[in-house]
Amino acid sequence: MLSTLRDAWKIPDLRKKMFFTLLMLLIYRLGSHVPVPGMDREVIEQIFSGGEGGVLGFLDLMSGGSMRQFSIFALNIYPYITASIIIQLLTIAIPSLEALSKEGEEGRKKIAQYTRYGTVVLALVQAIGFSIGFFNRALIDKSFGTAAVVVLTLTAGTAFLMWLGEQITEKGIGNGISLIIFIGIISRLPGALYEIYQLLTAGQVNIIEVLLFGIVAILIIAGVVAIQQGQRRIPVQYAKRVVGRKMYGGQSTHIPLKVLMAGVIPVIFSTSILAFPQTLSLFFEGGFANFVREYLTVNGKVGIWIYSILNVILIILFTYFYTAVQFNPVEYAKNLKQHGGFIPGIRPGKPTSEFLSRIVSRLTIVGALALAIIATLPVLVGSLTDLNIRFGGTALLIVVGVALETVKQIESQMLMRHYKGFLK
């Protein structure tokens, strides 16, 4: 990976893209330290001290520390992710949206526009809930003007982050939204390691527990790499055909079907959905909040098992959903037939699409289960030890997955430029 980054930096065009990406991510981290006006920092710290280790700690981790500082990026990019989930589900349910998604580039632009509108609406609702609801006592002035400034600042911060992510995707390297989440998580890594050191020196945890966590972290990294890189190659033979005086086809190739086509997207979606009732519980006191903490968070004795089971189910469902969005066996079989290709032993057309559907289904269940186990295992390990570590399996999974995808994009960019130079 380091050699790939070094080689990519030597190419002027790629160096410009990488520099642009780093600059945008630097702006994001600087903005994470810009406080929202009209909020009392001491009161916010007291609220976090009372709820640390619970949902507030989780939200703070996923926002890269912006929530605890209540910065302009406190809501982070999660309203955009939630809006994306809603729009994608509506695309399947509403025929007009489904038709729009098949209209090519123009259709995708329209759907992206709807997602932006949904992001602003969701960010506005969350901003009202946090500022006027849960963090109401942190407002320095209870007037409408002050509350409006806080709400608009938080909403604008999310809208700016959405634009920042789109700029990275368009003009930089990698997926901008994933990289924003990636940087937010790894910014907490030094603090998490220092916390482990403090717990170790204070004698609150023993070296065996630290080593156990380290082994699990290494296994997660190895597992993510193996699943992300794993693929099954389906052999394809192209029939010979004569066009004019030239003969085409006759060569053998393969279809590389990845074990995990969806990447880490199912984990991000699952985390966002499971965080929703936890976020909702922050605005209520009493029965509902206690129920959520006990039964739907990793801090409850029963909740850790319910949370883990729901996490596994949602990851499997989203893996199947996202794989179906990315790979259409019917269209693939149709394209193969049109170009004179066939899978040895399988008739072209419907039998080919059914064969590909079976293979993809088997690969997807293996990838989904592996993804779910990797995301859930550290949560269970953390509950069996005294390590108060918020940099858990989901965070490691997202970090490793995004890093792999970004490096693969850099490699594909280098390969494209290499072929261009070779053809010249």
Side-chain angles (χ1 to χ4, degrees), residues 7-20:
D7 294 339
W9 190 259
K10 297 176 182 178
I11 302 173
D13 187 26
L14 279 182
R15 183 168 63 244
K16 184 179 178 181
K17 286 177 174 286
M18 293 170 68
F19 182 76
F20 179 83

Side-chain angles (χ1 to χ4, degrees), residues 194-347:
Y194 181 69
E195 183 179 345
I196 294 175
Y197 173 75
Q198 285 184 319
L199 291 172
L200 191 60
T201 54
Q204 296 182 22
V205 297
N206 57 54
I207 190 67
I208 302 298
E209 291 177 335
V210 176
L211 290 175
L212 177 63
F213 176 79
I215 291 170
V216 171
I218 292 172
L219 289 175
I220 288 174
I221 294 172
V224 174
V225 173
I227 293 297
Q228 289 275 48
Q229 303 288 60
Q231 59 179 228
R232 176 171 176 180
R233 298 181 176 183
I234 307 297
V236 174
Q237 182 73 36
Y238 283 92
K240 293 181 180 180
R241 54 195 177 97
V242 178
V243 180
R245 294 184 178 181
K246 293 184 179 180
M247 181 176 290
Y248 295 92
Q251 74 271 23
S252 298
T253 182
H254 65 270
I255 305 172
L257 295 178
K258 294 184 66 176
V259 175
L260 192 61
M261 295 185 189
V264 295
I265 298 296
V267 179
I268 297 175
F269 280 7
S270 173
T271 302
S272 300
I273 288 179
L274 290 176
F276 180 74
Q278 300 178 37
T279 305
L280 202 62
S281 70
L282 295 175
F283 310 124
F284 299 93
E285 293 183 1
F288 176 74
N290 293 332
F291 173 82
V292 171
R293 292 189 191 99
E294 180 62 30
Y295 293 101
L296 295 176
T297 70
V298 296
N299 302 294
K301 292 182 180 179
V302 180
I304 186 170
W305 298 105
I306 296 177
Y307 181 94
S308 299
I309 292 171
L310 288 176
N311 194 35
V312 169
I313 293 172
L314 285 174
I315 287 174
I316 292 174
L317 290 177
F318 276 120
T319 303
Y320 269 98
F321 170 74
Y322 224 74
T323 301
V325 170
Q326 286 189 314
F327 185 84
N328 188 336
V330 176
E331 289 294 326
Y332 212 102
K334 184 179 177 182
N335 291 334
L336 272 179
K337 186 177 181 180
Q338 287 178 347
H339 292 87
F342 63 93
I343 299 172
I346 307 295
R347 293 180 62 186

Side-chain angles (χ1 to χ4, degrees), residues 19 31 61 86 88 90 111 144 188 198 202 215 220 269 306 328 334 340-342 350 379 385 402 411:
F19 182 76
L61 166 66
I86 294 172
Q88 288 187 9
L90 289 178
I111 290 176
F144 173 79
R188 304 298 303 275
Q198 285 184 319
I215 291 170
I220 288 174
F269 280 7
I306 296 177
N328 188 336
K334 184 179 177 182
F342 63 93
K350 188 177 179 181
V379 177
T385 65
V402 173
E411 288 177 344

